[in-house]
Amino acid sequence: MEVLQRTANRGSISDGGYNIDNSIMFTTEGTYADANSLFYDIMKQSEGFAADANAGTNARKCTVSAWVKRTKITNSSHYDRIFSYRGGGVAFDVYFDPATDQLTMYDDNTSMSLKTNRAFRDTSAWYHIVVAVDQTQGTAANRVNVYVNGVQETSFATEDYGNQNVDLSAFRAESISVYVGGAGHEASAYFNGYIAEYNFIDGAQLAQTEFGEFDDDSGIWKPKKFTGSYGTLGHYYNFTVANDMGKDFSGNGNDSNNRGDGIANGAARQATDTPTNNFCTFNPLMDQGNSPTISDGATKSTGGGSNWNQTWGSIGVKNGKWYYEMKVTNTSSTGYIGASTTPAVSDYTNTVQLMYNTSFMLGQASRIDYYYWQSGSQVSNESTGWGTISTNDIIGIALDLDSSTKKFIVYKNGSALNGSGTDLPTNMQNEFIFPLYVQYENRADEINLGGYTTMTISSAASDGNGYGTFEIAPPSGYYALCTKNLAEFG
């Protein structure tokens, strides 16, 4: 059994259907977010996407479909833009409001402006968003249809469907640029998270069922392949070609990388975390008084503030066998890898301390110590006999939650350090267990939960089902924390 709600897409649990292999990761902080590369966090078609208003199939109709997984929420003045079509002083944008996390859409040329009443703050789920526009419709409410996970949004805090029979900004006669995951030079508009299966349909207002369907068994909304016409200016990005992440698979040849700046470090941003196989990442909603910075697709956690920081994984499990790993980047300031339940006391998420009830962690500068928190007390074992740590060592955690007494095995560079395993603390035996990373100040080892990672992987080992990408192959019978494995073992 796993901690996954069925009310939102958490990754398809059905085999034999339409699978999405790749997504692209966007970040405003972390490895690929320095001042020199922020502009290139977007993909751009800058040399006149629409040369004139007649270039498109129909300048008043279009449909955009995208799957997104957010990794940062309520982000001050930062607009998480899914896409932006802009030029000549006008824009057609869809984004999450930085203060409220409400889904927001506007088009300058038609004066359309919509903002949902509900917020979208789930960072462990994939959302399928469809915005279908037909400005020729006589009934205003029919001009813009918005769907999230197969259900039409009908409750709006801001509700203006725009003027009838007016061209959309995406088809203005002026040079129009296409941005996926951003909005031009606006550093405050880049998306944080993953985007997959991006479709732009020129000349038609389509239903959400062209791109997805409800699973007969689970009721989860899942993707399906779009097989219709893209129109003249339509494009489809599936991010499957690592050295050409902006390649258009619609048949129109609207490759983003061929018309503008493309995307820096494109291959390094390619991810296997997708709507049909959703991987565990770090959970920014598990906040603390001294919150770490979570970046790089919610796979990197960096502390600060001269204090302790804890970061929990987004998927918890109660049975099955699971593996994840940490690369030591600095032996003098190594963090701790481990596992935890959710905090037993809600106040723990707003205070600063080393550990919480109930959790265990392994690490220390240059050695492997073992600490766990149980029944209100921290238990320390600084003489485990599990050896030392060197820079670039890979420390693996294998959780065996199927044994009669649940346990964990510690690996260093593929070798087990504690034999057949150490029992989990008593208070963790019958609870949901989440990956845990603990650090002091700004320590930032590289964590690999199997999906996207900042680690440079040389071996590209997968689990027995072929899922995940690890430096050290998971032990036989242990698997990456992703929804396809959860469907089988969780």
Side-chain angles (χ1 to χ4, degrees), residues 156-224:
F156 294 98
T158 302
E159 191 171 10
D160 185 341
Y161 294 94
N163 299 314
Q164 186 183 17
N165 294 326
V166 176
D167 291 350
L168 291 158
S169 295
F171 301 97
R172 280 283 299 262
E174 292 87 351
S175 175
I176 295 295
S177 298
V178 178
Y179 302 92
V180 178
H185 292 273
E186 297 180 26
S188 63
Y190 302 137
F191 188 71
N192 282 274
Y194 303 86
I195 297 178
E197 199 74 359
Y198 184 89
N199 286 279
F200 178 88
I201 313 303
D202 166 23
Q205 182 188 52
L206 301 178
Q208 81 282 24
T209 49
E210 295 288 333
F211 310 95
E213 59 190 352
F214 289 103
D215 184 81
D216 290 337
D217 296 324
S218 67
I220 289 177
W221 182 255
K222 63 182 184 180
K224 73 177 186 180

Side-chain angles (χ1 to χ4, degrees), residues 325-447:
E325 60 189 16
M326 175 182 82
K327 181 179 181 180
V328 177
T329 57
N330 187 338
T331 54
S332 65
S333 60
T334 304
Y336 301 83
I337 190 171
S340 178
T341 66
T342 54
V345 179
S346 60
D347 286 348
Y348 285 171
T349 59
N350 297 310
T351 59
V352 177
Q353 61 187 67
L354 173 60
M355 299 182 71
Y356 301 104
N357 189 8
T358 302
S359 58
F360 79 83
M361 66 182 197
L362 307 160
Q364 182 54 274
S366 301
R367 66 179 190 266
I368 302 176
D369 294 344
Y370 172 41
Y371 304 90
Y372 63 94
W373 187 275
Q374 182 170 283
S375 302
S377 299
Q378 178 180 309
V379 181
S380 303
N381 184 349
E382 299 177 355
S383 302
T384 60
W386 294 343
T388 59
I389 294 176
S390 300
T391 300
N392 296 324
D393 277 346
I394 305 296
I395 306 301
I397 296 291
L399 293 174
D400 182 356
L401 306 183
D402 283 342
S403 59
S404 56
T405 302
K406 299 176 181 181
K407 60 185 179 180
F408 66 90
I409 305 174
V410 187
Y411 287 84
K412 185 174 82 170
N413 301 326
S415 297
L417 302 180
N418 58 334
S420 60
T422 299
D423 291 348
L424 289 177
T426 303
N427 288 7
M428 296 180 71
Q429 285 290 323
N430 296 306
E431 302 295 331
F432 283 99
I433 308 299
F434 299 77
L436 177 71
Y437 178 59
V438 181
Q439 60 189 313
Y440 185 72
E441 291 187 333
N442 61 349
R443 299 170 188 177
D445 303 279
E446 294 182 283
I447 307 298

Side-chain angles (χ1 to χ4, degrees), residues 439-477:
Q439 60 189 313
Y440 185 72
E441 291 187 333
N442 61 349
R443 299 170 188 177
D445 303 279
E446 294 182 283
I447 307 298
N448 184 8
L449 300 173
Y452 182 82
T453 179
T454 57
M455 282 175 56
T456 300
I457 303 292
S458 59
S459 64
S462 299
D463 64 25
N465 279 344
Y467 302 134
T469 304
F470 298 97
E471 184 59 42
I472 304 296
S476 178

Side-chain angles (χ1 to χ4, degrees), residues 27-39:
T27 185
T28 57
E29 296 173 302
T31 306
Y32 300 114
D34 59 83
N36 294 324
S37 66
L38 265 175
F39 171 65

Side-chain angles (χ1 to χ4, degrees), residues 56-394:
T57 303
N58 189 316
R60 295 170 184 175
K61 299 180 182 181
C62 75
T63 303
V64 184
S65 167
W67 287 83
V68 303
K69 179 179 177 179
R70 304 189 70 193
T71 57
K72 186 179 286 289
I73 48 91
T74 316
N75 195 14
S76 183
S77 61
H78 187 95
Y79 294 80
D80 259 7
R81 273 186 171 82
I82 300 169
F83 67 81
S84 179
Y85 292 74
R86 56 180 50 206
V90 295
F92 172 35
D93 285 10
V94 172
Y95 62 90
F96 293 102
D97 186 278
T100 63
D101 299 306
Q102 294 162 289
L103 184 62
T104 305
M105 295 131 282
Y106 72 84
D107 184 89
D108 289 318
N109 215 42
T110 66
S111 298
M112 179 265 284
S113 180
L114 294 170
K115 178 184 289 188
T116 61
N117 269 315
R118 68 171 175 143
F120 296 85
R121 305 184 74 246
D122 193 338
T123 57
S124 62
W126 280 87
Y127 293 115
H128 181 219
I129 296 172
V130 175
V131 180
V133 184
D134 180 358
Q135 293 302 133
T136 69
Q137 292 285 336
T139 301
N142 293 337
R143 292 174 196 156
V144 185
N145 295 328
V146 181
Y147 306 92
V148 179
N149 290 341
V151 179
Q152 186 170 0
E153 293 291 316
T154 57
S155 178
F156 294 98
T158 302
E159 191 171 10
D160 185 341
Y161 294 94
N163 299 314
Q164 186 183 17
N165 294 326
V166 176
D167 291 350
L168 291 158
S169 295
F171 301 97
R172 280 283 299 262
E174 292 87 351
S175 175
I176 295 295
S177 298
V178 178
Y179 302 92
V180 178
H185 292 273
E186 297 180 26
S188 63
Y190 302 137
F191 188 71
N192 282 274
Y194 303 86
I195 297 178
E197 199 74 359
Y198 184 89
N199 286 279
F200 178 88
I201 313 303
D202 166 23
Q205 182 188 52
L206 301 178
Q208 81 282 24
T209 49
E210 295 288 333
F211 310 95
E213 59 190 352
F214 289 103
D215 184 81
D216 290 337
D217 296 324
S218 67
I220 289 177
W221 182 255
K222 63 182 184 180
K224 73 177 186 180
K225 176 69 175 176
F226 175 68
T227 58
S229 171
Y230 280 90
T232 306
L233 298 178
H235 41 281
Y236 165 45
Y237 303 136
N238 61 24
F239 314 113
T240 58
V241 182
N243 62 355
D244 188 9
M245 292 291 277
K247 182 175 176 60
D248 175 22
F249 285 86
S250 73
N252 286 338
N254 288 320
D255 295 358
S256 66
N257 288 347
N258 293 341
R259 296 198 178 191
D261 298 295
I263 185 166
N265 303 302
R269 296 170 185 270
Q270 188 182 52
T272 56
D273 193 332
T274 75
T276 54
N277 199 12
N278 186 12
F279 276 82
C280 182
T281 53
F282 285 136
N283 187 353
L285 294 173
M286 295 287 283
D287 198 18
Q288 302 173 255
N290 187 45
S291 302
T293 298
I294 297 177
S295 63
D296 295 283
T299 64
K300 183 176 182 180
S301 176
T302 308
S306 300
N307 232 314
W308 290 99
N309 303 266
Q310 285 75 28
T311 312
W312 286 264
S314 60
I315 293 178
V317 283
K318 206 169 186 177
N319 48 30
K321 295 182 177 181
W322 311 102
Y323 176 83
Y324 47 96
E325 60 189 16
M326 175 182 82
K327 181 179 181 180
V328 177
T329 57
N330 187 338
T331 54
S332 65
S333 60
T334 304
Y336 301 83
I337 190 171
S340 178
T341 66
T342 54
V345 179
S346 60
D347 286 348
Y348 285 171
T349 59
N350 297 310
T351 59
V352 177
Q353 61 187 67
L354 173 60
M355 299 182 71
Y356 301 104
N357 189 8
T358 302
S359 58
F360 79 83
M361 66 182 197
L362 307 160
Q364 182 54 274
S366 301
R367 66 179 190 266
I368 302 176
D369 294 344
Y370 172 41
Y371 304 90
Y372 63 94
W373 187 275
Q374 182 170 283
S375 302
S377 299
Q378 178 180 309
V379 181
S380 303
N381 184 349
E382 299 177 355
S383 302
T384 60
W386 294 343
T388 59
I389 294 176
S390 300
T391 300
N392 296 324
D393 277 346
I394 305 296

